[in-house]
mmCIF file with all atom_site columns, all heavy atoms in Angstrom:
data_model
loop_
_atom_site.group_PDB
_atom_site.id
_atom_site.type_symbol
_atom_site.label_atom_id
_atom_site.label_alt_id
_atom_site.label_comp_id
_atom_site.label_asym_id
_atom_site.label_entity_id
_atom_site.label_seq_id
_atom_site.pdbx_PDB_ins_code
_atom_site.Cartn_x
_atom_site.Cartn_y
_atom_site.Cartn_z
_atom_site.occupancy
_atom_site.B_iso_or_equiv
_atom_site.pdbx_formal_charge
_atom_site.auth_seq_id
_atom_site.auth_comp_id
_atom_site.auth_asym_id
_atom_site.auth_atom_id
_atom_site.pdbx_PDB_model_num
ATOM 1   N N   . ALA G 1 18 ? 0.594   -8.267  25.326 1.00 0.00 ? 18 ALA G N   1
ATOM 2   C CA  . ALA G 1 18 ? 1.283   -9.027  26.369 1.00 0.00 ? 18 ALA G CA  1
ATOM 3   C C   . ALA G 1 18 ? 0.595   -8.866  27.715 1.00 0.00 ? 18 ALA G C   1
ATOM 4   O O   . ALA G 1 18 ? 0.496   -9.814  28.505 1.00 0.00 ? 18 ALA G O   1
ATOM 5   C CB  . ALA G 1 18 ? 2.737   -8.567  26.464 1.00 0.00 ? 18 ALA G CB  1
ATOM 6   N N   . ILE G 1 19 ? 0.089   -7.678  27.983 1.00 0.00 ? 19 ILE G N   1
ATOM 7   C CA  . ILE G 1 19 ? -0.561  -7.398  29.265 1.00 0.00 ? 19 ILE G CA  1
ATOM 8   C C   . ILE G 1 19 ? -1.965  -7.996  29.322 1.00 0.00 ? 19 ILE G C   1
ATOM 9   O O   . ILE G 1 19 ? -2.393  -8.529  30.348 1.00 0.00 ? 19 ILE G O   1
ATOM 10  C CB  . ILE G 1 19 ? -0.627  -5.878  29.513 1.00 0.00 ? 19 ILE G CB  1
ATOM 11  C CG1 . ILE G 1 19 ? 0.798   -5.319  29.675 1.00 0.00 ? 19 ILE G CG1 1
ATOM 12  C CG2 . ILE G 1 19 ? -1.477  -5.548  30.736 1.00 0.00 ? 19 ILE G CG2 1
ATOM 13  C CD1 . ILE G 1 19 ? 0.843   -3.800  29.657 1.00 0.00 ? 19 ILE G CD1 1
ATOM 14  N N   . ASN G 1 20 ? -2.688  -7.945  28.203 1.00 0.00 ? 20 ASN G N   1
ATOM 15  C CA  . ASN G 1 20 ? -4.127  -8.215  28.234 1.00 0.00 ? 20 ASN G CA  1
ATOM 16  C C   . ASN G 1 20 ? -4.554  -9.521  27.582 1.00 0.00 ? 20 ASN G C   1
ATOM 17  O O   . ASN G 1 20 ? -5.742  -9.842  27.580 1.00 0.00 ? 20 ASN G O   1
ATOM 18  C CB  . ASN G 1 20 ? -4.877  -7.064  27.544 1.00 0.00 ? 20 ASN G CB  1
ATOM 19  C CG  . ASN G 1 20 ? -4.733  -5.769  28.309 1.00 0.00 ? 20 ASN G CG  1
ATOM 20  O OD1 . ASN G 1 20 ? -5.393  -5.544  29.304 1.00 0.00 ? 20 ASN G OD1 1
ATOM 21  N ND2 . ASN G 1 20 ? -3.842  -4.905  27.830 1.00 0.00 ? 20 ASN G ND2 1
ATOM 22  N N   . TRP G 1 21 ? -3.623  -10.310 27.017 1.00 0.00 ? 21 TRP G N   1
ATOM 23  C CA  . TRP G 1 21 ? -4.025  -11.466 26.225 1.00 0.00 ? 21 TRP G CA  1
ATOM 24  C C   . TRP G 1 21 ? -4.822  -12.478 27.029 1.00 0.00 ? 21 TRP G C   1
ATOM 25  O O   . TRP G 1 21 ? -5.840  -12.987 26.592 1.00 0.00 ? 21 TRP G O   1
ATOM 26  C CB  . TRP G 1 21 ? -2.793  -12.126 25.616 1.00 0.00 ? 21 TRP G CB  1
ATOM 27  C CG  . TRP G 1 21 ? -3.134  -13.208 24.633 1.00 0.00 ? 21 TRP G CG  1
ATOM 28  C CD1 . TRP G 1 21 ? -2.878  -14.539 24.747 1.00 0.00 ? 21 TRP G CD1 1
ATOM 29  C CD2 . TRP G 1 21 ? -3.815  -13.042 23.386 1.00 0.00 ? 21 TRP G CD2 1
ATOM 30  N NE1 . TRP G 1 21 ? -3.351  -15.215 23.660 1.00 0.00 ? 21 TRP G NE1 1
ATOM 31  C CE2 . TRP G 1 21 ? -3.935  -14.322 22.810 1.00 0.00 ? 21 TRP G CE2 1
ATOM 32  C CE3 . TRP G 1 21 ? -4.347  -11.947 22.709 1.00 0.00 ? 21 TRP G CE3 1
ATOM 33  C CZ2 . TRP G 1 21 ? -4.551  -14.537 21.580 1.00 0.00 ? 21 TRP G CZ2 1
ATOM 34  C CZ3 . TRP G 1 21 ? -4.961  -12.161 21.483 1.00 0.00 ? 21 TRP G CZ3 1
ATOM 35  C CH2 . TRP G 1 21 ? -5.058  -13.435 20.947 1.00 0.00 ? 21 TRP G CH2 1
ATOM 36  N N   . THR G 1 22 ? -4.377  -12.800 28.244 1.00 0.00 ? 22 THR G N   1
ATOM 37  C CA  . THR G 1 22 ? -5.095  -13.792 29.056 1.00 0.00 ? 22 THR G CA  1
ATOM 38  C C   . THR G 1 22 ? -6.504  -13.328 29.368 1.00 0.00 ? 22 THR G C   1
ATOM 39  O O   . THR G 1 22 ? -7.474  -14.102 29.284 1.00 0.00 ? 22 THR G O   1
ATOM 40  C CB  . THR G 1 22 ? -4.328  -14.049 30.366 1.00 0.00 ? 22 THR G CB  1
ATOM 41  O OG1 . THR G 1 22 ? -3.010  -14.510 30.043 1.00 0.00 ? 22 THR G OG1 1
ATOM 42  C CG2 . THR G 1 22 ? -5.048  -15.086 31.208 1.00 0.00 ? 22 THR G CG2 1
ATOM 43  N N   . ALA G 1 23 ? -6.647  -12.054 29.706 1.00 0.00 ? 23 ALA G N   1
ATOM 44  C CA  . ALA G 1 23 ? -7.977  -11.517 30.012 1.00 0.00 ? 23 ALA G CA  1
ATOM 45  C C   . ALA G 1 23 ? -8.869  -11.559 28.782 1.00 0.00 ? 23 ALA G C   1
ATOM 46  O O   . ALA G 1 23 ? -10.063 -11.858 28.873 1.00 0.00 ? 23 ALA G O   1
ATOM 47  C CB  . ALA G 1 23 ? -7.845  -10.086 30.533 1.00 0.00 ? 23 ALA G CB  1
ATOM 48  N N   . ILE G 1 24 ? -8.293  -11.291 27.623 1.00 0.00 ? 24 ILE G N   1
ATOM 49  C CA  . ILE G 1 24 ? -9.075  -11.300 26.382 1.00 0.00 ? 24 ILE G CA  1
ATOM 50  C C   . ILE G 1 24 ? -9.658  -12.679 26.118 1.00 0.00 ? 24 ILE G C   1
ATOM 51  O O   . ILE G 1 24 ? -10.841 -12.854 25.841 1.00 0.00 ? 24 ILE G O   1
ATOM 52  C CB  . ILE G 1 24 ? -8.187  -10.854 25.204 1.00 0.00 ? 24 ILE G CB  1
ATOM 53  C CG1 . ILE G 1 24 ? -7.920  -9.355  25.300 1.00 0.00 ? 24 ILE G CG1 1
ATOM 54  C CG2 . ILE G 1 24 ? -8.846  -11.173 23.872 1.00 0.00 ? 24 ILE G CG2 1
ATOM 55  C CD1 . ILE G 1 24 ? -6.829  -8.885  24.372 1.00 0.00 ? 24 ILE G CD1 1
ATOM 56  N N   . LEU G 1 25 ? -8.805  -13.694 26.233 1.00 0.00 ? 25 LEU G N   1
ATOM 57  C CA  . LEU G 1 25 ? -9.281  -15.051 25.987 1.00 0.00 ? 25 LEU G CA  1
ATOM 58  C C   . LEU G 1 25 ? -10.297 -15.477 27.031 1.00 0.00 ? 25 LEU G C   1
ATOM 59  O O   . LEU G 1 25 ? -11.259 -16.181 26.731 1.00 0.00 ? 25 LEU G O   1
ATOM 60  C CB  . LEU G 1 25 ? -8.089  -16.008 25.975 1.00 0.00 ? 25 LEU G CB  1
ATOM 61  C CG  . LEU G 1 25 ? -7.127  -15.871 24.785 1.00 0.00 ? 25 LEU G CG  1
ATOM 62  C CD1 . LEU G 1 25 ? -5.966  -16.828 24.945 1.00 0.00 ? 25 LEU G CD1 1
ATOM 63  C CD2 . LEU G 1 25 ? -7.857  -16.139 23.478 1.00 0.00 ? 25 LEU G CD2 1
ATOM 64  N N   . GLY G 1 26 ? -10.107 -15.033 28.262 1.00 0.00 ? 26 GLY G N   1
ATOM 65  C CA  . GLY G 1 26 ? -11.002 -15.442 29.329 1.00 0.00 ? 26 GLY G CA  1
ATOM 66  C C   . GLY G 1 26 ? -12.388 -14.849 29.201 1.00 0.00 ? 26 GLY G C   1
ATOM 67  O O   . GLY G 1 26 ? -13.383 -15.493 29.520 1.00 0.00 ? 26 GLY G O   1
ATOM 68  N N   . THR G 1 27 ? -12.493 -13.627 28.730 1.00 0.00 ? 27 THR G N   1
ATOM 69  C CA  . THR G 1 27 ? -13.793 -12.958 28.668 1.00 0.00 ? 27 THR G CA  1
ATOM 70  C C   . THR G 1 27 ? -14.526 -13.204 27.361 1.00 0.00 ? 27 THR G C   1
ATOM 71  O O   . THR G 1 27 ? -15.704 -12.901 27.246 1.00 0.00 ? 27 THR G O   1
ATOM 72  C CB  . THR G 1 27 ? -13.612 -11.443 28.836 1.00 0.00 ? 27 THR G CB  1
ATOM 73  O OG1 . THR G 1 27 ? -12.778 -10.951 27.774 1.00 0.00 ? 27 THR G OG1 1
ATOM 74  C CG2 . THR G 1 27 ? -12.979 -11.111 30.165 1.00 0.00 ? 27 THR G CG2 1
ATOM 75  N N   . GLY G 1 28 ? -13.813 -13.761 26.366 1.00 0.00 ? 28 GLY G N   1
ATOM 76  C CA  . GLY G 1 28 ? -14.468 -13.955 25.072 1.00 0.00 ? 28 GLY G CA  1
ATOM 77  C C   . GLY G 1 28 ? -14.603 -12.681 24.283 1.00 0.00 ? 28 GLY G C   1
ATOM 78  O O   . GLY G 1 28 ? -15.369 -12.620 23.334 1.00 0.00 ? 28 GLY G O   1
ATOM 79  N N   . SER G 1 29 ? -13.884 -11.631 24.669 1.00 0.00 ? 29 SER G N   1
ATOM 80  C CA  . SER G 1 29 ? -13.939 -10.375 23.933 1.00 0.00 ? 29 SER G CA  1
ATOM 81  C C   . SER G 1 29 ? -13.229 -10.509 22.596 1.00 0.00 ? 29 SER G C   1
ATOM 82  O O   . SER G 1 29 ? -12.305 -11.293 22.445 1.00 0.00 ? 29 SER G O   1
ATOM 83  C CB  . SER G 1 29 ? -13.279 -9.266  24.764 1.00 0.00 ? 29 SER G CB  1
ATOM 84  O OG  . SER G 1 29 ? -13.069 -8.127  23.979 1.00 0.00 ? 29 SER G OG  1
ATOM 85  N N   . TYR G 1 30 ? -13.682 -9.737  21.605 1.00 0.00 ? 30 TYR G N   1
ATOM 86  C CA  . TYR G 1 30 ? -12.967 -9.728  20.326 1.00 0.00 ? 30 TYR G CA  1
ATOM 87  C C   . TYR G 1 30 ? -11.995 -8.557  20.235 1.00 0.00 ? 30 TYR G C   1
ATOM 88  O O   . TYR G 1 30 ? -11.480 -8.256  19.167 1.00 0.00 ? 30 TYR G O   1
ATOM 89  C CB  . TYR G 1 30 ? -13.946 -9.695  19.151 1.00 0.00 ? 30 TYR G CB  1
ATOM 90  C CG  . TYR G 1 30 ? -14.997 -8.603  19.209 1.00 0.00 ? 30 TYR G CG  1
ATOM 91  C CD1 . TYR G 1 30 ? -14.696 -7.297  18.831 1.00 0.00 ? 30 TYR G CD1 1
ATOM 92  C CD2 . TYR G 1 30 ? -16.294 -8.893  19.608 1.00 0.00 ? 30 TYR G CD2 1
ATOM 93  C CE1 . TYR G 1 30 ? -15.662 -6.307  18.880 1.00 0.00 ? 30 TYR G CE1 1
ATOM 94  C CE2 . TYR G 1 30 ? -17.257 -7.903  19.660 1.00 0.00 ? 30 TYR G CE2 1
ATOM 95  C CZ  . TYR G 1 30 ? -16.937 -6.613  19.290 1.00 0.00 ? 30 TYR G CZ  1
ATOM 96  O OH  . TYR G 1 30 ? -17.892 -5.626  19.325 1.00 0.00 ? 30 TYR G OH  1
ATOM 97  N N   . ASP G 1 31 ? -11.721 -7.879  21.361 1.00 0.00 ? 31 ASP G N   1
ATOM 98  C CA  . ASP G 1 31 ? -10.722 -6.814  21.347 1.00 0.00 ? 31 ASP G CA  1
ATOM 99  C C   . ASP G 1 31 ? -9.361  -7.336  20.908 1.00 0.00 ? 31 ASP G C   1
ATOM 100 O O   . ASP G 1 31 ? -8.588  -6.621  20.260 1.00 0.00 ? 31 ASP G O   1
ATOM 101 C CB  . ASP G 1 31 ? -10.587 -6.185  22.735 1.00 0.00 ? 31 ASP G CB  1
ATOM 102 C CG  . ASP G 1 31 ? -11.781 -5.316  23.094 1.00 0.00 ? 31 ASP G CG  1
ATOM 103 O OD1 . ASP G 1 31 ? -12.556 -5.002  22.170 1.00 0.00 ? 31 ASP G OD1 1
ATOM 104 O OD2 . ASP G 1 31 ? -11.935 -4.958  24.272 1.00 0.00 ? 31 ASP G OD2 1
#
Side-chain angles (χ1 to χ4, degrees):
I19 294 169
N20 294 281
W21 188 245
T22 302
I24 287 168
L25 291 177
T27 60
S29 168
Y30 52 80
D31 287 346

